[in-house]
Amino acid sequence: MPHRDTLYLLATVFLLLTTIDARAERLRRRQGAMADNATLAAALQALANAVASIQQNQQAQAAHAAQPVLDPFASDDPFDLASRAGDTAFKQASAAIEPGWDGTPTSFPPFLNALRIRAREARWDAVSPQGITAINDHDLLTNYHEITTADAETARANRVNDRAVQNAKAMYRAVKASLKNPLRGLIFNQFANTPQHEDGPSLFFLATSFSTTSTLQVSQDSFHKLIMLDPSDYEFNIPLVNTELSNLFVLATTPHRSLSENERIQHALTTYARIQQPQTWATWVATQQDNFDDNLITVGSQLFLNSAARKYNKIKEKKKGFHASSKSIQEEIVAMIAKQQTKGKHKSAPKTPSDEEDKKDEKRPASVASPPFAKHTHPDNKSDAVPYKVGDTKEWKGTTYHFCDTPNHRGKIHWHTHATADCRTRQRWLAKKQAEANLASEDIAQPPPSDDNSGESEDATALLTRVYAMLSTDPAAQGAVGDLLHSLNNENE
């Protein structure tokens, strides 16, 4: 019996243990399922977040792609050379500049002007840290002659901004592609002169150091050209004159001598004042000179040059051309009057048909059988003897010869076989003498000119009156002629 109870007890314990183990297993399974559910939920949440992020990126990219890139240089960020827009922008900034520069002073101002335009377009002239043209408080493209080698090298070494580094490299490639021989060969065909770094400001500074653009001699020569600049050399085309003025302003500047804005405006006014016509232009220049003397011109030299170009275009459009002259209307009228009066004073004797006949007589061949006394004007050709006179005759070899006092016969022949009264050469000679005598008598009969030159003044007044009427469409020029007429009338009173 006890044995049976023991077995029963053991079976009960085993059953209890099995039940507990089963329940424990089920509990473990439940806990595992719950953990799996939490993990799964966390994974699902992470996946949802990733999908949302991807969707946001796609939407941003779509919005960016929908907007065209209008200005690849607008941003201060470095160019993304992996993108088409960034690569294109960098290549544009690195392209050659036209016109190029061969190292001569005359070709430097146009090149420098084009380089300044490129610097503005590519934003090389931006403020630090992206900009590269400001070196030691000097603008590289304006005050290049005041920058030293040490300044250029220090600026290159301190340039760490990615966009600034890209700008410096783009400028280097652009300047290198724009240099022409002999300057290009001097730098890149001699290894010792080759730049050690692809740095645009350093290359530009090096190129200027090999030229004479900043020398005192070039400055003095340019200053002399500036003073003597004649608009007629440029066919009075003000835009071309302004371009030459700007070029000379650049070349006349040195480390020791720079032109102020007022000096530049005064040089421009001096050049403009050499254009005396049209009168509208001359009046405008005179007004601007008065304003300058009174310190009323407050704009810079470039804006003043632009105002002159606008005035030129306005006159050209209104007058159907800029009919310019270096002489004033008064000077041209005075010259015209003087020419008219000179024509009246220098009257030559009227030509007669006998003049041509005399020339024909001179071309006729002389008689082969001339008597020995053919050229005699005195008996036996003695000057102290009584001279022959018209009507004297001589016989020679059975032929009668008649004396003619005309000096115009060919070979100075005075004895002819025809009668003197029938000599056509003598008739023409006498007629010419009579005409000259009549002209001389008219000159003698004229009274001596009076001090007031009233006759000449009357001619001048009539001429000026006609000119005054012709200038009805130009009040300014008509007024100038009117003043001249008024002064002429006052002299006659």
Side-chain angles (χ1 to χ4, degrees), residues 66 103 125 128 163 209 215 255 280 284-285 303 307 343 461:
D125 58 352
S128 180
R163 178 61 181 271
S209 67
T215 61
T280 309
W284 180 83
V285 173
L303 293 179
S307 67
K343 287 182 179 180
T461 301

Side-chain angles (χ1 to χ4, degrees), residues 276-279 282 325-336 464 467 471 474 476-482 484:
Q276 296 293 314
Q277 291 188 59
Q279 186 64 33
S325 174
S326 297
K327 294 182 179 180
S328 65
I329 185 69
Q330 294 93 330
E331 292 174 335
E332 290 190 350
I333 291 174
V334 170
M336 183 168 55
L464 282 176
V467 173
L471 295 175
D474 193 338
Q478 195 177 48
V481 176
L484 192 58

Side-chain angles (χ1 to χ4, degrees), residues 92-143:
Q92 289 177 351
S94 305
I97 299 171
E98 293 294 338
W101 184 32
D102 57 3
T104 59
T106 54
S107 62
F108 178 69
F111 167 74
L112 180 61
N113 183 65
L115 184 60
R116 288 173 176 171
I117 295 175
R118 176 66 61 83
R120 181 181 302 170
E121 294 173 345
R123 298 196 65 201
W124 298 341
D125 58 352
V127 296
S128 180
Q130 292 83 13
I132 60 174
T133 58
I135 299 178
N136 195 19
D137 296 330
H138 296 296
D139 189 303
L140 173 68
L141 304 182
T142 303
N143 302 319

Side-chain angles (χ1 to χ4, degrees), residues 232-254:
S232 63
D233 295 338
Y234 305 89
E235 298 181 351
F236 302 102
N237 188 310
I238 298 303
L240 294 180
V241 172
N242 287 349
T243 299
E244 183 62 18
L245 283 170
S246 300
N247 292 343
L248 292 175
F249 290 158
V250 172
L251 294 177
T253 303
T254 66

Side-chain angles (χ1 to χ4, degrees), residues 301-467:
S301 60
Q302 186 59 56
L303 293 179
F304 181 77
L305 296 181
N306 294 344
S307 67
R310 287 193 297 270
K311 186 65 177 180
Y312 164 82
N313 291 329
K314 184 177 180 180
I315 296 174
K316 186 177 179 180
E317 180 178 357
K318 184 177 181 180
K319 301 294 184 181
K320 306 301 181 183
F322 192 72
H323 308 292
S325 174
S326 297
K327 294 182 179 180
S328 65
I329 185 69
Q330 294 93 330
E331 292 174 335
E332 290 190 350
I333 291 174
V334 170
M336 183 168 55
I337 294 173
K339 184 177 180 180
Q340 188 73 17
Q341 293 172 348
T342 302
K343 287 182 179 180
K345 289 181 179 180
H346 298 284
K347 291 182 178 180
S348 58
K351 292 184 178 181
T352 62
S354 61
D355 295 334
E356 297 297 330
E357 293 294 334
D358 291 341
K359 293 180 181 179
K360 292 180 181 179
D361 285 345
E362 293 178 358
K363 294 179 181 180
R364 294 190 183 103
S367 177
V368 176
S370 298
F373 51 84
K375 298 182 180 181
H376 293 179
T377 58
H378 297 73
D380 298 328
N381 203 24
K382 295 180 179 180
S383 59
D384 55 349
V386 177
Y388 294 118
K389 61 183 181 298
V390 174
D392 293 342
T393 59
K394 282 189 176 185
E395 296 290 333
W396 186 70
K397 292 185 179 181
T399 303
T400 302
Y401 286 86
H402 304 267
F403 178 76
C404 182
D405 57 352
T406 303
N408 294 344
H409 286 291
R410 185 176 181 274
K412 303 299 180 182
I413 301 298
H414 287 278
W415 295 88
H416 306 276
T417 56
H418 58 266
T420 305
D422 299 330
C423 181
R424 290 180 297 174
T425 300
R426 187 173 187 275
Q427 293 173 2
R428 292 191 294 270
W429 174 61
L430 292 175
K432 186 175 181 180
K433 286 182 63 176
Q434 184 62 40
E436 292 176 349
N438 293 339
L439 181 61
S441 62
E442 290 177 2
D443 292 340
I444 294 174
Q446 291 179 355
S450 59
D451 294 339
D452 57 358
N453 295 325
S454 59
E456 296 178 1
S457 298
E458 291 176 0
D459 294 339
T461 301
L463 182 59
L464 282 176
T465 302
R466 292 196 299 271
V467 173

